[in-house]
Amino acid sequence: MRFLTAYLSRSRWAWVAPTRLGLSLLVIAGTLYTLAYLTRIGWLYIATPLILAILLLNLLLPPLNVRGLTARRHFKGFNDGKHVELFEDDTLLVEIRLSHRSLLPKIVLTLREFFPCAAPGKEEHGYLIGALPPRGSSVVSHELTCYRRGRYSFPPLEVESSAPFGLFRSVRAIDAPMEITVYPKALPLEVAPNQGALVGDATGFSRPSFSGEVRSSREFQQSDDLRHIHWRNSARSGQLMVKEFDQTPRGEVRMALNPGVNLGWGRETTLEYAIKIGASLARYSFNEGRQFRMWPGGVGADLTTWHKVLEHLARIRAEPQPSVSESLSYRGPHGISVVAVSSADEDSIRQLQQLRYPRGIVVVIMEGFDSREDLEASDKIARHGLDVIGCKVKELPKALGTLGKLLELQGASIATPLL
């Protein structure tokens, strides 16, 4: 019966279901009526309709108590109340205003909220509202910590009432549309000694740099260096603008991952690690003035800004895609390719072993997420001349430190034909 109530409420219905107390009182009423019929005792005939009257009254009042309610969600500190953009582990205050226009007060309401972007086990929250005055409102709030990247739509709120006697409860769904995009966290590719496990030789590359000539200006983005702010254009336009420099020819950075293999639990999965590697590489590329491409996405993907890359990464789902094979068959300009795969991804590992020209390719192999992994995957790839970085559970920053060191050495200025 509770399932029926929840189903109908999510379909914008208000439904009444008896509580355990209501069912018990209904059984008592039936018992008293049976005894009255058998014994012909007068007070039993009086008690039975009184109990039934109480039951009938409580059957009608809860639906009226939840009728006419409206709700509005608001993220405090954000002007746009319909769509909010945050990063993993960001915390925000969610406010819900419940109101009505009825001349009668609303009493003893339970408001239930579901946060799809919260950590497992912390998605549901309940609020007890003692009373709403006539044509009044009440505001409840709760802190929400974004657990994992993705794009989420909040489901309707559920308001429940069993007033005044708790014999029946009525549940109603209230629309309060809200969307939130949680971006993956980009970790720094810091050059630190003795970080990670590097297998294979690192070929020397030259590090690119800016030529120093200012070509134009554009709107400031989160990944931009504050030293490049164009103060004169910022004063003219009324918003922060940054300088765009002429750049010496430099190789692009390419990234590939396989969303079809996702091992682990929560945020500690191979897919989430690969996406964080992609976000870190994208920020590194934009800071260095290099072009960035990634698969899934491919050549035609519009990933020309940091914000567009974050949007793309937030939308990636765990589903099979030929992204690794497409990236390895791509014949592009000078650059370096980073492939993040699980040691259980047999197809991707086989494709890496079959490469004829492995130079300029770095493989981040993720290990320790599942018992089905190939423990010799790193050695198999390294024997074919590929640079391999091991990444175990809870050791993503260490692996990224090694990757940053390798990028500093290689610089991405050698043509890499990928066949």
Side-chain angles (χ1 to χ4, degrees), residues 347-395:
D347 292 338
S348 298
I349 293 173
R350 188 182 306 110
Q351 293 170 20
L352 291 167
Q353 290 180 277
Q354 295 173 352
L355 286 176
R356 296 173 57 188
Y357 302 99
R359 293 188 63 195
I361 301 178
V362 180
V363 181
V364 180
I365 189 86
M366 291 168 283
E367 305 169 318
F369 292 83
D370 193 86
S371 59
R372 295 169 290 177
E373 297 174 340
D374 183 1
L375 301 180
E376 299 180 356
S378 297
D379 295 334
K380 291 179 181 178
I381 299 174
R383 283 197 295 266
H384 286 75
L386 294 166
D387 295 319
V388 182
I389 299 175
C391 179
K392 297 183 180 295
V393 181
K394 303 289 187 181
E395 295 185 1

Side-chain angles (χ1 to χ4, degrees), residues 63-349:
L64 294 176
N65 202 30
V66 298
R67 186 178 179 182
L69 293 171
T70 59
R72 179 180 179 271
R73 286 191 183 97
H74 176 69
F75 289 159
K76 194 170 183 180
F78 293 87
N79 295 327
D80 183 5
K82 297 297 182 183
H83 186 207
V84 177
E85 298 173 349
L86 296 166
F87 285 86
E88 290 177 333
D89 293 328
D90 283 354
T91 300
L92 71 161
L93 185 65
V94 182
E95 293 183 345
I96 302 173
R97 179 177 293 274
L98 189 65
S99 57
H100 73 109
R101 303 297 298 170
S102 173
L103 296 176
L104 298 176
K106 308 288 186 180
I107 59 173
V108 194
L109 299 171
T110 300
L111 180 65
R112 287 196 295 268
E113 166 77 330
F114 184 84
F115 298 123
C117 57
K122 298 182 179 179
E123 298 96 341
E124 292 190 8
H125 293 278
Y127 313 91
L128 179 62
I129 301 175
L132 289 179
R135 294 186 176 180
S137 62
S138 178
V139 178
V140 294
S141 61
H142 181 81
E143 277 196 349
L144 169 65
T145 300
C146 300
Y147 176 71
R148 190 166 67 178
R149 57 96 204 171
R151 192 177 181 91
Y152 304 94
S153 295
F154 282 56
L157 300 166
E158 285 188 358
V159 180
E160 179 181 321
S161 175
S162 58
F165 305 120
L167 304 180
F168 290 85
R169 66 175 180 273
S170 180
V171 182
R172 179 178 290 272
I174 303 177
D175 282 327
M178 177 74 72
E179 288 187 353
I180 181 171
T181 300
V182 181
Y183 295 140
K185 183 180 293 185
L187 303 177
L189 299 180
E190 295 179 351
V191 180
N194 301 324
Q195 283 192 335
L198 178 62
V199 183
D201 59 338
T203 311
F205 290 87
S206 61
R207 183 178 181 180
S209 59
F210 292 112
S211 67
E213 298 295 331
V214 179
R215 175 166 52 86
S216 61
S217 63
R218 58 172 173 79
E219 188 177 347
F220 177 82
Q221 297 177 0
Q222 186 175 355
S223 60
D224 291 327
D225 194 333
L226 295 177
R227 295 173 298 178
H228 297 160
I229 293 179
H230 200 304
W231 296 108
R232 181 180 299 177
N233 288 358
S234 299
R236 291 175 179 173
S237 62
Q239 58 183 353
L240 281 180
M241 306 292 290
V242 292
K243 302 173 184 177
E244 283 194 318
F245 296 90
D246 287 332
Q247 302 172 7
T248 57
R250 62 191 62 192
E252 64 181 13
V253 177
R254 299 183 281 268
M255 164 71 188
L257 57 95
N258 182 10
V261 179
N262 186 27
L263 305 177
W265 185 85
R267 289 191 303 186
E268 307 299 324
T269 67
T270 55
L271 177 58
E272 297 304 317
Y273 273 38
I275 286 176
K276 286 185 176 65
I277 293 172
S280 304
L281 279 172
R283 188 173 68 172
Y284 165 84
S285 302
F286 290 127
N287 286 340
E288 293 292 314
R290 299 176 182 173
Q291 186 174 4
F292 177 77
R293 300 182 191 273
M294 78 165 297
W295 287 261
V299 181
D302 185 10
L303 303 178
T304 55
T305 65
W306 172 236
H307 184 267
K308 290 179 180 179
V309 171
L310 290 176
E311 282 282 347
H312 178 70
L313 291 172
R315 294 173 181 268
I316 294 179
R317 298 182 179 180
E319 55 188 11
Q321 296 189 38
S323 48
V324 173
S325 59
E326 289 177 357
S327 69
L328 296 179
S329 61
Y330 170 68
R331 296 187 180 184
H334 299 248
I336 185 170
S337 296
V338 178
V339 183
V341 296
S342 167
S343 57
D345 189 355
E346 298 179 357
D347 292 338
S348 298
I349 293 173

